[in-house]
Amino acid sequence: MNKTETLEPLLTALCGAPPPSQLAGHLAALAQEVRVSRGGSAPLDHRRDLFVYIAQGSTKLVASASAGREQIVAFHFAGDIVSVPAHSLHSYSLNALEPTHLLIFPASEMHAAIAGNPAVLTGLLQRVLTALHRCRDKAVGLGRKNAGERVASFLVGMAERIGHAEGGEITLDLPMSRRDIADSLGLTIETVSRQFSEMRSAGWLRTQGRAHVRLLQPATLAAHAGHVELRSP
Amino acid sequence: MNKTETLEPLLTALCGAPPPSQLAGHLAALAQEVRVSRGGSAPLDHRRDLFVYIAQGSTKLVASASAGREQIVAFHFAGDIVSVPAHSLHSYSLNALEPTHLLIFPASEMHAAIAGNPAVLTGLLQRVLTALHRCRDKAVGLGRKNAGERVASFLVGMAERIGHAEGGEITLDLPMSRRDIADSLGLTIETVSRQFSEMRSAGWLRTQGRAHVRLLQPATLAAHAGHVELRSP
DNA sequence: CGTGCCGTTGAAGGTTCTCAACCGTGGTGG
DNA sequence: CCACCACGGTTGAGAACCTTCAACGGCACG
């Protein structure tokens, strides 16, 4: 599969229609195509703003504060677009959770390339807005929720993105480790593990091996996620 | 001052050039112009995605989790653009920190209006990206920093946005209360107050009344903000 | 079959929260 | 003019939640 073909789903998703082949070719010329193995980190040029398209696989965007403390800012799955700024208060890296296929674009050149196509530009804006809103929700969780609520939020959120509904239950295959979950929720692995244990014994979920999770009571879980209640007064 | 005139600085900032007057007129027709007094909240229609332009004053974007817990997601000052999604996991409101002048746009119609002007569209994208990157930095702070580092980060960040350099010192007039700071940093007002006291006695800053802060040692403060160190190995 | 990593569970400790009292300021009304 | 009150900020003591430190179990891989 060549770069242009890899790009097609991206463009289709962005503008909601089959893309003009000229644009696809133009973008393909800009893109650096990279395959990253599980645990590897994407070769990012931190001197310039970037967009990264996740063609296949899944990634985590990791920020490092001082003293080696790490915070996972977001998880991404196939089809997602990630924005990585040139330099920031914290140093960012993009790591693969499984064998992953990426297209890396310099932001300024991508802007120029799609400037003539408002539909694509608007689509990109929409993606960035979604990322912003997810990040805000994460900030609420990190600032104002306890460990149980954070883990419940995480599971509910992942269920929406990569879960498979089966009757009233949802099954999940989590590509990330407990450490990743902890680093994403601002907790320690031990606390995450304890929360999983409590939820297991409460009958809210069942786990199989490291990755497989079955949410037995998604509604209960959602109710304990600390989201604003859709009240019936 | 009419709406079109209020819009001009926005458009100039977005595309880096004097705006075509036709576009300004078109956008002005979309905008709902609102003045909000100190402490008041903007009349947002939560049924649709919105952009809000802060023409004058300053605001806080507040998210409510369940049980009345509030997290301030961002502060905004004159010239900023805020994106407010239709509905989210948490309920958002935009509150004025001082008498504030706003222009409220329905997102979809704004998209349509500026679709023909790639420079403006790209400028808007740039603003949203900046917001995303700030939100990520906030997430790092909320997830992985202690109280002292959070307050130091806050002061350093505010100094960049609304501070006045005077020799090696920086003076600030904070429009937000201690409660707002606490709600922004995921702490309690008591903890914020204690951190201010410690920094005062350490000689890092001096306060006058509620709002006025003078950073005596901005570099020391920045060093204690827990950002990644720019090391010389 | 040994090794190493990841996940789980337990006990002790620390940072922040909660509850409470006090202080200073600004506005109001007698 | 001053007393009073309301509100925001400061300071202190105890409690709660999460972290830290430690040990153990299990699965994958060489």
Side-chain angles (χ1 to χ4, degrees), chain B residues 81-105:
Chain B
I81 296 174
V82 191
S83 156
V84 185
H87 9 247
S88 185
L89 298 173
H90 311 100
S91 100
Y92 289 92
S93 68
L94 188 70
N95 293 48
L97 300 172
E98 54 190 321
T100 295
H101 185 187
L102 306 171
L103 293 178
I104 304 175
F105 300 87

Side-chain angles (χ1 to χ4, degrees), chain A residues 65-78:
Chain A
S66 60
R69 293 170 296 183
E70 297 200 331
Q71 173 69 39
I72 294 179
V73 166
F75 292 113
H76 310 94
F77 302 96

